[in-house]
Amino acid sequence: MALQAEEKKRFEQIAKELRLTIIDVMAWSGGAHVGGSLSIVEILTLLYFKYLNIDPKNPKWEDRDRFILSKGHTAAGYIPVLAKRGYFDEELLKSFNHFGSPFAMHPDCNKVIGCDASAGSLGHGLSMAVGLGLGAKQLKKPWKTVCLMGDGECCEGSVWEAAMSAAHFKLDNVIGIVDRNRLMIDGCTEDVMALEPFADKWRAFGWNVIEVNGHDLDELDCALDAAWKAEGKPTLILANTVKGKGVDFMENNVVYHYASGDSALCEKAKASIMRG
């Protein structure tokens, strides 16, 4: 079922505000992994403002849903979501990547309120999600674990070991999402290490696969709803996205995998977001 008009309008506004904040974080921090941060905005918006069963006033609540940002270098997109959801004051974002700040280029769960898993080297998030899924099953707990991966990190063998394990143990409480923007630090994924036929590989590993436009809120909402209700196997949402989404000169441009910007570039980027 498609989102209600007022609900969709609210999520669109949140997404726009988050994109503007990502550009601010790029400026405040002196540089950030901006391209991949912009491509996951709609995904994070629906997760944190509709689907995840969480309580910012009680961030360590035992029965909360868990979220793992496996593509941890996009903390510039993730940390602002936690702030907007109410885990901490948005003013703190101005310290991003500064000395003594809890916010670095990768999230640290021991420092960032609301963060369930630390990230660093790519390819490990899904393994953590499998462990959390098994733990919930053993404890007979109802919570879900969502793991957001980059397509580039799916070159890692550890991703596929975890995928095989999740299917073997029938972890229907684990939801994987791949930000399929088709670009990684060195260029196009299909040039660096081809992933296609990507969806078929996940199916072959025993996953329920739902492929969507990762910027279409209605499609994402339907996919997340189905994933939340799935039984008997884990679900993988393959979200086709655009790196740098919302900033016209950054879209599909690998130069903006990581970037810094002076005030003129940031204002140009914000103007593009506001036109969108």
mmCIF file of all heavy atoms in Angstrom, residues 96-132:
data_model
loop_
_atom_site.group_PDB
_atom_site.id
_atom_site.type_symbol
_atom_site.label_atom_id
_atom_site.label_comp_id
_atom_site.label_asym_id
_atom_site.label_seq_id
_atom_site.Cartn_x
_atom_site.Cartn_y
_atom_site.Cartn_z
ATOM 1 N N PHE A 96 31.431 17.465 14.248
ATOM 2 C CA PHE A 96 31.694 16.231 13.497
ATOM 3 C C PHE A 96 33.158 16.155 13.038
ATOM 4 O O PHE A 96 33.673 17.049 12.369
ATOM 5 C CB PHE A 96 30.770 16.158 12.280
ATOM 6 C CG PHE A 96 30.712 14.806 11.618
ATOM 7 C CD1 PHE A 96 29.678 13.922 11.896
ATOM 8 C CD2 PHE A 96 31.688 14.405 10.722
ATOM 9 C CE1 PHE A 96 29.617 12.672 11.286
ATOM 10 C CE2 PHE A 96 31.635 13.159 10.109
ATOM 11 C CZ PHE A 96 30.603 12.295 10.397
ATOM 12 N N ASN A 97 33.824 15.066 13.452
ATOM 13 C CA ASN A 97 35.208 14.754 13.091
ATOM 14 C C ASN A 97 36.225 15.734 13.674
ATOM 15 O O ASN A 97 37.382 15.765 13.246
ATOM 16 C CB ASN A 97 35.390 14.667 11.571
ATOM 17 C CG ASN A 97 36.511 13.704 11.202
ATOM 18 O OD1 ASN A 97 36.650 12.644 11.802
ATOM 19 N ND2 ASN A 97 37.313 14.066 10.210
ATOM 20 N N HIS A 98 35.808 16.532 14.657
ATOM 21 C CA HIS A 98 36.756 17.390 15.348
ATOM 22 C C HIS A 98 37.362 16.640 16.529
ATOM 23 O O HIS A 98 36.797 15.659 17.022
ATOM 24 C CB HIS A 98 36.055 18.650 15.858
ATOM 25 C CG HIS A 98 35.611 19.577 14.770
ATOM 26 N ND1 HIS A 98 35.256 20.876 15.000
ATOM 27 C CD2 HIS A 98 35.462 19.397 13.436
ATOM 28 C CE1 HIS A 98 34.899 21.463 13.873
ATOM 29 N NE2 HIS A 98 35.010 20.577 12.904
ATOM 30 N N PHE A 99 38.493 17.112 17.021
ATOM 31 C CA PHE A 99 39.155 16.476 18.152
ATOM 32 C C PHE A 99 38.219 16.458 19.360
ATOM 33 O O PHE A 99 37.647 17.479 19.733
ATOM 34 C CB PHE A 99 40.444 17.228 18.510
ATOM 35 C CG PHE A 99 41.210 16.597 19.638
ATOM 36 C CD1 PHE A 99 41.958 15.445 19.428
ATOM 37 C CD2 PHE A 99 41.167 17.127 20.920
ATOM 38 C CE1 PHE A 99 42.651 14.850 20.456
ATOM 39 C CE2 PHE A 99 41.854 16.534 21.966
ATOM 40 C CZ PHE A 99 42.601 15.395 21.731
ATOM 41 N N GLY A 100 38.070 15.295 19.961
ATOM 42 C CA GLY A 100 37.228 15.156 21.134
ATOM 43 C C GLY A 100 35.759 14.932 20.844
ATOM 44 O O GLY A 100 34.971 14.697 21.766
ATOM 45 N N SER A 101 35.359 14.984 19.570
ATOM 46 C CA SER A 101 33.960 14.782 19.217
ATOM 47 C C SER A 101 33.603 13.296 19.275
ATOM 48 O O SER A 101 34.437 12.438 18.970
ATOM 49 C CB SER A 101 33.689 15.308 17.804
ATOM 50 O OG SER A 101 32.380 14.964 17.381
ATOM 51 N N PRO A 102 32.354 12.970 19.644
ATOM 52 C CA PRO A 102 31.929 11.569 19.578
ATOM 53 C C PRO A 102 31.694 11.100 18.146
ATOM 54 O O PRO A 102 31.534 9.904 17.902
ATOM 55 C CB PRO A 102 30.618 11.562 20.372
ATOM 56 C CG PRO A 102 30.091 12.949 20.234
ATOM 57 C CD PRO A 102 31.301 13.846 20.202
ATOM 58 N N PHE A 103 31.661 12.041 17.204
ATOM 59 C CA PHE A 103 31.310 11.728 15.820
ATOM 60 C C PHE A 103 32.545 11.742 14.935
ATOM 61 O O PHE A 103 33.203 12.769 14.767
ATOM 62 C CB PHE A 103 30.295 12.731 15.277
ATOM 63 C CG PHE A 103 29.152 13.014 16.201
ATOM 64 C CD1 PHE A 103 28.818 14.315 16.537
ATOM 65 C CD2 PHE A 103 28.422 11.978 16.771
ATOM 66 C CE1 PHE A 103 27.772 14.582 17.401
ATOM 67 C CE2 PHE A 103 27.376 12.230 17.633
ATOM 68 C CZ PHE A 103 27.043 13.535 17.958
ATOM 69 N N ALA A 104 32.850 10.588 14.352
ATOM 70 C CA ALA A 104 34.000 10.470 13.455
ATOM 71 C C ALA A 104 33.526 9.981 12.093
ATOM 72 O O ALA A 104 32.334 9.851 11.839
ATOM 73 C CB ALA A 104 35.017 9.511 14.054
ATOM 74 N N MET A 105 34.459 9.705 11.211
ATOM 75 C CA MET A 105 34.113 9.278 9.856
ATOM 76 C C MET A 105 33.396 7.933 9.832
ATOM 77 O O MET A 105 32.691 7.613 8.883
ATOM 78 C CB MET A 105 35.356 9.215 8.980
ATOM 79 C CG MET A 105 35.899 10.572 8.595
ATOM 80 S SD MET A 105 34.729 11.492 7.576
ATOM 81 C CE MET A 105 35.507 13.101 7.563
ATOM 82 N N HIS A 106 33.590 7.140 10.874
ATOM 83 C CA HIS A 106 32.845 5.903 11.071
ATOM 84 C C HIS A 106 32.215 5.960 12.463
ATOM 85 O O HIS A 106 32.844 6.443 13.408
ATOM 86 C CB HIS A 106 33.749 4.672 10.978
ATOM 87 C CG HIS A 106 34.253 4.390 9.603
ATOM 88 N ND1 HIS A 106 35.275 5.119 9.021
ATOM 89 C CD2 HIS A 106 33.886 3.469 8.680
ATOM 90 C CE1 HIS A 106 35.513 4.649 7.802
ATOM 91 N NE2 HIS A 106 34.686 3.647 7.569
ATOM 92 N N PRO A 107 30.987 5.473 12.625
ATOM 93 C CA PRO A 107 30.329 5.558 13.930
ATOM 94 C C PRO A 107 30.914 4.595 14.956
ATOM 95 O O PRO A 107 31.298 3.473 14.621
ATOM 96 C CB PRO A 107 28.870 5.217 13.612
ATOM 97 C CG PRO A 107 28.950 4.362 12.383
ATOM 98 C CD PRO A 107 30.116 4.891 11.594
ATOM 99 N N ASP A 108 30.975 5.044 16.192
ATOM 100 C CA ASP A 108 31.478 4.254 17.313
ATOM 101 C C ASP A 108 30.329 4.094 18.308
ATOM 102 O O ASP A 108 29.863 5.070 18.896
ATOM 103 C CB ASP A 108 32.655 4.992 17.958
ATOM 104 C CG ASP A 108 33.315 4.212 19.094
ATOM 105 O OD1 ASP A 108 32.642 3.357 19.702
ATOM 106 O OD2 ASP A 108 34.497 4.475 19.372
ATOM 107 N N CYS A 109 29.876 2.869 18.522
ATOM 108 C CA CYS A 109 28.712 2.643 19.385
ATOM 109 C C CYS A 109 28.996 2.956 20.848
ATOM 110 O O CYS A 109 28.063 3.085 21.648
ATOM 111 C CB CYS A 109 28.196 1.211 19.228
ATOM 112 S SG CYS A 109 29.313 -0.070 19.836
ATOM 113 N N ASN A 110 30.270 3.075 21.214
ATOM 114 C CA ASN A 110 30.618 3.438 22.583
ATOM 115 C C ASN A 110 30.593 4.952 22.803
ATOM 116 O O ASN A 110 30.714 5.414 23.942
ATOM 117 C CB ASN A 110 32.001 2.893 22.943
ATOM 118 C CG ASN A 110 32.030 1.375 22.980
ATOM 119 O OD1 ASN A 110 31.191 0.755 23.622
ATOM 120 N ND2 ASN A 110 32.982 0.786 22.274
ATOM 121 N N LYS A 111 30.448 5.708 21.716
ATOM 122 C CA LYS A 111 30.469 7.162 21.813
ATOM 123 C C LYS A 111 29.202 7.825 21.276
ATOM 124 O O LYS A 111 28.830 8.905 21.730
ATOM 125 C CB LYS A 111 31.678 7.720 21.047
ATOM 126 C CG LYS A 111 33.020 7.293 21.605
ATOM 127 C CD LYS A 111 34.165 7.851 20.771
ATOM 128 C CE LYS A 111 35.520 7.418 21.330
ATOM 129 N NZ LYS A 111 36.638 7.938 20.505
ATOM 130 N N VAL A 112 28.560 7.191 20.302
ATOM 131 C CA VAL A 112 27.394 7.789 19.651
ATOM 132 C C VAL A 112 26.117 7.209 20.244
ATOM 133 O O VAL A 112 25.842 6.015 20.096
ATOM 134 C CB VAL A 112 27.426 7.553 18.124
ATOM 135 C CG1 VAL A 112 26.202 8.186 17.472
ATOM 136 C CG2 VAL A 112 28.706 8.101 17.522
ATOM 137 N N ILE A 113 25.333 8.039 20.899
ATOM 138 C CA ILE A 113 24.069 7.591 21.486
ATOM 139 C C ILE A 113 23.119 7.152 20.373
ATOM 140 O O ILE A 113 22.924 7.863 19.389
ATOM 141 C CB ILE A 113 23.428 8.728 22.303
ATOM 142 C CG1 ILE A 113 24.354 9.159 23.432
ATOM 143 C CG2 ILE A 113 22.082 8.281 22.877
ATOM 144 C CD1 ILE A 113 23.897 10.410 24.144
ATOM 145 N N GLY A 114 22.553 5.971 20.518
ATOM 146 C CA GLY A 114 21.623 5.444 19.526
ATOM 147 C C GLY A 114 22.260 4.551 18.485
ATOM 148 O O GLY A 114 21.550 3.924 17.693
ATOM 149 N N CYS A 115 23.577 4.478 18.481
ATOM 150 C CA CYS A 115 24.298 3.639 17.516
ATOM 151 C C CYS A 115 24.470 2.235 18.097
ATOM 152 O O CYS A 115 25.006 2.078 19.202
ATOM 153 C CB CYS A 115 25.654 4.259 17.194
ATOM 154 S SG CYS A 115 26.690 3.285 16.096
ATOM 155 N N ASP A 116 24.034 1.229 17.368
ATOM 156 C CA ASP A 116 24.061 -0.155 17.862
ATOM 157 C C ASP A 116 25.339 -0.915 17.531
ATOM 158 O O ASP A 116 25.603 -1.957 18.130
ATOM 159 C CB ASP A 116 22.874 -0.936 17.287
ATOM 160 C CG ASP A 116 21.546 -0.466 17.834
ATOM 161 O OD1 ASP A 116 21.442 -0.289 19.063
ATOM 162 O OD2 ASP A 116 20.613 -0.246 17.039
ATOM 163 N N ALA A 117 26.115 -0.437 16.552
ATOM 164 C CA ALA A 117 27.306 -1.184 16.136
ATOM 165 C C ALA A 117 28.358 -0.245 15.589
ATOM 166 O O ALA A 117 28.049 0.667 14.814
ATOM 167 C CB ALA A 117 26.933 -2.223 15.080
ATOM 168 N N SER A 118 29.594 -0.453 15.986
ATOM 169 C CA SER A 118 30.698 0.321 15.435
ATOM 170 C C SER A 118 31.016 -0.177 14.037
ATOM 171 O O SER A 118 30.777 -1.342 13.699
ATOM 172 C CB SER A 118 31.939 0.196 16.319
ATOM 173 O OG SER A 118 31.685 0.675 17.624
ATOM 174 N N ALA A 119 31.560 0.702 13.221
ATOM 175 C CA ALA A 119 31.922 0.330 11.853
ATOM 176 C C ALA A 119 33.338 0.809 11.557
ATOM 177 O O ALA A 119 33.827 1.763 12.152
ATOM 178 C CB ALA A 119 30.948 0.950 10.853
ATOM 179 N N GLY A 120 33.961 0.146 10.635
ATOM 180 C CA GLY A 120 35.321 0.502 10.241
ATOM 181 C C GLY A 120 35.612 -0.172 8.921
ATOM 182 O O GLY A 120 35.135 0.248 7.879
ATOM 183 N N SER A 121 36.364 -1.259 8.984
ATOM 184 C CA SER A 121 36.617 -2.044 7.780
ATOM 185 C C SER A 121 35.298 -2.570 7.235
ATOM 186 O O SER A 121 34.451 -3.077 7.977
ATOM 187 C CB SER A 121 37.560 -3.198 8.105
ATOM 188 O OG SER A 121 37.830 -3.965 6.956
ATOM 189 N N LEU A 122 35.119 -2.447 5.939
ATOM 190 C CA LEU A 122 33.856 -2.844 5.321
ATOM 191 C C LEU A 122 33.699 -4.363 5.268
ATOM 192 O O LEU A 122 34.671 -5.107 5.293
ATOM 193 C CB LEU A 122 33.765 -2.268 3.913
ATOM 194 C CG LEU A 122 33.596 -0.750 3.845
ATOM 195 C CD1 LEU A 122 33.824 -0.259 2.422
ATOM 196 C CD2 LEU A 122 32.233 -0.340 4.334
ATOM 197 N N GLY A 123 32.420 -4.783 5.178
ATOM 198 C CA GLY A 123 32.131 -6.197 4.984
ATOM 199 C C GLY A 123 31.770 -6.967 6.235
ATOM 200 O O GLY A 123 31.521 -8.173 6.172
ATOM 201 N N HIS A 124 31.722 -6.293 7.390
ATOM 202 C CA HIS A 124 31.487 -7.004 8.644
ATOM 203 C C HIS A 124 30.081 -6.813 9.217
ATOM 204 O O HIS A 124 29.682 -7.533 10.136
ATOM 205 C CB HIS A 124 32.511 -6.581 9.697
ATOM 206 C CG HIS A 124 33.917 -6.874 9.312
ATOM 207 N ND1 HIS A 124 34.338 -8.136 8.954
ATOM 208 C CD2 HIS A 124 35.007 -6.075 9.208
ATOM 209 C CE1 HIS A 124 35.624 -8.108 8.652
ATOM 210 N NE2 HIS A 124 36.055 -6.865 8.787
ATOM 211 N N GLY A 125 29.332 -5.848 8.705
ATOM 212 C CA GLY A 125 28.037 -5.536 9.288
ATOM 213 C C GLY A 125 27.049 -6.682 9.251
ATOM 214 O O GLY A 125 26.322 -6.922 10.224
ATOM 215 N N LEU A 126 27.003 -7.402 8.132
ATOM 216 C CA LEU A 126 26.027 -8.482 8.019
ATOM 217 C C LEU A 126 26.348 -9.619 8.983
ATOM 218 O O LEU A 126 25.435 -10.269 9.512
ATOM 219 C CB LEU A 126 25.946 -8.985 6.583
ATOM 220 C CG LEU A 126 24.755 -9.894 6.277
ATOM 221 C CD1 LEU A 126 23.428 -9.179 6.546
ATOM 222 C CD2 LEU A 126 24.796 -10.375 4.821
ATOM 223 N N SER A 127 27.627 -9.870 9.238
ATOM 224 C CA SER A 127 27.998 -10.892 10.225
ATOM 225 C C SER A 127 27.489 -10.506 11.608
ATOM 226 O O SER A 127 26.981 -11.357 12.358
ATOM 227 C CB SER A 127 29.519 -11.058 10.266
ATOM 228 O OG SER A 127 30.008 -11.561 9.040
ATOM 229 N N MET A 128 27.599 -9.222 11.959
ATOM 230 C CA MET A 128 27.067 -8.757 13.249
ATOM 231 C C MET A 128 25.545 -8.918 13.281
ATOM 232 O O MET A 128 24.971 -9.311 14.303
ATOM 233 C CB MET A 128 27.468 -7.308 13.490
ATOM 234 C CG MET A 128 28.934 -7.124 13.815
ATOM 235 S SD MET A 128 29.334 -5.435 14.348
ATOM 236 C CE MET A 128 29.496 -4.610 12.771
ATOM 237 N N ALA A 129 24.902 -8.623 12.157
ATOM 238 C CA ALA A 129 23.446 -8.758 12.085
ATOM 239 C C ALA A 129 23.021 -10.205 12.284
ATOM 240 O O ALA A 129 22.010 -10.489 12.960
ATOM 241 C CB ALA A 129 22.934 -8.232 10.745
ATOM 242 N N VAL A 130 23.775 -11.138 11.726
ATOM 243 C CA VAL A 130 23.472 -12.563 11.909
ATOM 244 C C VAL A 130 23.583 -12.936 13.388
ATOM 245 O O VAL A 130 22.726 -13.640 13.935
ATOM 246 C CB VAL A 130 24.402 -13.435 11.049
ATOM 247 C CG1 VAL A 130 24.308 -14.912 11.452
ATOM 248 C CG2 VAL A 130 24.063 -13.275 9.571
ATOM 249 N N GLY A 131 24.629 -12.443 14.046
ATOM 250 C CA GLY A 131 24.785 -12.724 15.467
ATOM 251 C C GLY A 131 23.632 -12.175 16.288
ATOM 252 O O GLY A 131 23.112 -12.861 17.184
ATOM 253 N N LEU A 132 23.211 -10.961 15.973
ATOM 254 C CA LEU A 132 22.088 -10.365 16.686
ATOM 255 C C LEU A 132 20.786 -11.119 16.394
ATOM 256 O O LEU A 132 19.953 -11.313 17.281
ATOM 257 C CB LEU A 132 21.942 -8.892 16.295
ATOM 258 C CG LEU A 132 22.994 -7.955 16.883
ATOM 259 C CD1 LEU A 132 22.983 -6.612 16.158
ATOM 260 C CD2 LEU A 132 22.760 -7.754 18.377
#
